[in-house]
Amino acid sequence: MIKENHTAFSDFILLGYSGIPELPGLLFLVFLLIYVGIVIGNGLIIYITVTDYALHTPMYFFLKNLSFLEICYTSVTLPKMLVGFVTEIRSISFIGCAAQIYFLLILGGTECFLLTAMAYDRYVAICNPLRYKLIMNNQLCFGLVTGSLTVNMSVHAGQIYLVFTLPFCGSREINHLFCDIPPLLELACADTYMNKVIVFVAIAFFLIIPFILILASYVKIISTILKMSSREGRKKVFSTCSSHLTVVTLFYGSATIVYLSPRSKERVDVNKLLSLFYTILIPVFNPIIYSLRNTEVKVALRKLFCRKM
């Protein structure tokens, strides 16, 4: 029996939560509210960091770019999911699937590097304050952001090419909420060992190494904080780092479990929930975390609302 080989003119079916017919209406409403919250919350962060001169510092330059990334990141997957909930059309074209994965990888990898740059910024500000303005100049900040984006665009273009030149036979059903490499490789009717190795190398480069660098930065930061004689000084310094540390823990924790844990039928639903966590819920939490834990952001928001009133 000859299996069907899908070409660039065929499409895939995103199963999502199609096995539970009662959910689509409720999920549409919940995800729509989440998407609106992501756009408004991160849009506010972008607006105040652009308009408030007090926030024209490297820390908030990175935060502004992080908020922009979050809006783009969720826009790659959420609109397609919302359409699927309303119309029950879950098909996605071959090219559309490739584009979705490519932009997810670019934006996700750039976010990993950006979180690392934010940790380095905090390290310099706390451990080397006298040279902070000299080290964290505009050229370095801009270079870190553009460099992160350039590296991700180049590396992931090759990874996408290797995945989508594979022959896909038989089933077209991707048992996931959106296109992603691990569930897509399960549909390939060829040896995917090299692809899995490349995925692991990419995870090490874009996920594990940045996390180690962030961890090293915070070891130095915590060591410096503990040496401070003033209790108020320790509290103030820790409050400026706690919001970033919270976001890092949530993002890296869920992404690491999804991409490094062994895939099995029993873990499919767990992986779906975790993928929702780092692609949708964390972009919602980011503005809240930075607003609640950051005094300067709260002051800027108060000034904005007072002007509007």
Side-chain angles (χ1 to χ4, degrees):
M1 186 174 178
I2 300 174
K3 293 184 177 180
E4 180 185 357
N5 181 22
H6 294 280
T7 67
F9 299 100
S10 62
D11 55 13
F12 297 103
I13 306 295
L14 296 168
L15 293 183
Y17 287 110
S18 58
I20 310 175
E22 301 84 6
L23 280 182
L26 176 62
L27 288 177
F28 173 80
L29 180 61
V30 171
F31 282 19
L32 179 62
L33 292 174
I34 289 174
Y35 188 46
V36 172
I38 290 169
V39 174
I40 293 175
N42 287 285
L44 271 175
I45 295 293
I46 295 170
Y47 182 78
I48 62 172
T49 52
V50 170
T51 58
D52 195 318
Y53 184 76
L55 301 183
H56 287 185
T57 63
M59 176 181 175
Y60 296 106
F61 172 77
F62 291 129
L63 179 58
K64 172 180 65 180
N65 282 278
L66 180 66
S67 295
F68 179 72
L69 275 179
E70 299 289 29
I71 294 173
C72 296
Y73 193 60
T74 51
S75 297
V76 174
T77 56
L78 256 179
K80 175 65 181 174
M81 290 166 63
L82 290 172
V83 170
F85 292 142
V86 174
T87 63
E88 295 189 2
I89 298 174
R90 298 185 179 87
S91 62
I92 184 169
S93 67
F94 189 93
I95 299 299
C97 187
Q100 191 176 69
I101 296 177
Y102 182 54
F103 286 111
L104 275 176
L105 292 176
I106 289 174
L107 296 168
T110 304
E111 182 165 347
C112 290
F113 285 172
L114 201 54
L115 290 171
T116 309
M118 293 173 78
Y120 178 69
D121 172 72
R122 292 298 83 207
Y123 162 74
V124 176
I126 295 167
C127 301
N128 202 353
L130 297 179
R131 299 188 62 202
Y132 178 72
K133 289 185 178 180
L134 180 65
I135 296 172
M136 299 304 297
N137 54 58
N138 292 335
Q139 290 80 6
L140 177 64
C141 295
F142 185 75
L144 286 172
V145 173
T146 54
S148 299
L149 192 59
T150 303
V151 168
N152 276 277
M153 290 175 68
S154 305
V155 172
H156 294 308
Q159 190 174 6
I160 290 298
Y161 173 79
L162 291 174
V163 171
F164 282 87
T165 51
L166 289 170
F168 295 96
C169 310
S171 176
R172 300 181 297 138
E173 296 178 344
I174 301 175
N175 194 5
H176 206 48
L177 296 161
F178 49 84
C179 281
D180 203 1
I181 290 179
L184 192 62
L185 290 179
E186 295 175 2
L187 304 183
C189 54
D191 184 13
T192 59
Y193 174 77
M194 186 54 65
N195 296 88
K196 291 175 181 177
V197 169
I198 293 170
V199 168
F200 182 78
V201 171
I203 290 170
F205 184 71
F206 292 103
L207 202 66
I208 298 174
I209 293 176
F211 181 72
I212 292 171
L213 293 174
I214 292 170
L215 198 61
S217 297
Y218 274 104
V219 167
K220 286 282 189 181
I221 289 169
I222 292 170
S223 175
T224 304
I225 292 174
L226 293 176
K227 292 176 183 176
M228 291 180 176
S229 56
S230 169
R231 184 179 177 182
E232 283 299 316
R234 289 199 300 268
K235 184 178 179 182
K236 183 179 179 181
V237 171
F238 183 75
S239 67
T240 62
C241 299
S242 58
S243 53
H244 176 254
L245 195 55
T246 303
V247 171
V248 166
T249 304
L250 293 172
F251 179 81
Y252 277 94
S254 54
T256 301
I257 293 171
V258 169
Y259 286 103
L260 291 183
S261 59
R263 294 189 62 82
S264 63
K265 291 182 179 179
E266 293 76 16
R267 289 190 55 84
V268 168
D269 290 333
V270 175
N271 285 340
K272 286 181 185 179
L273 286 173
L274 287 172
S275 63
L276 282 179
F277 197 80
Y278 71 82
T279 57
I280 296 174
L281 294 183
I282 290 177
V284 176
F285 293 152
N286 275 0
I288 299 170
I289 292 169
Y290 281 106
S291 299
L292 293 177
R293 303 291 299 178
N294 193 300
T295 305
E296 291 173 315
V297 172
K298 286 191 282 189
V299 170
L301 287 171
R302 283 196 204 103
K303 288 194 291 186
L304 173 63
F305 290 129
C306 286
R307 288 199 303 269
K308 296 300 179 183
M309 291 298 289

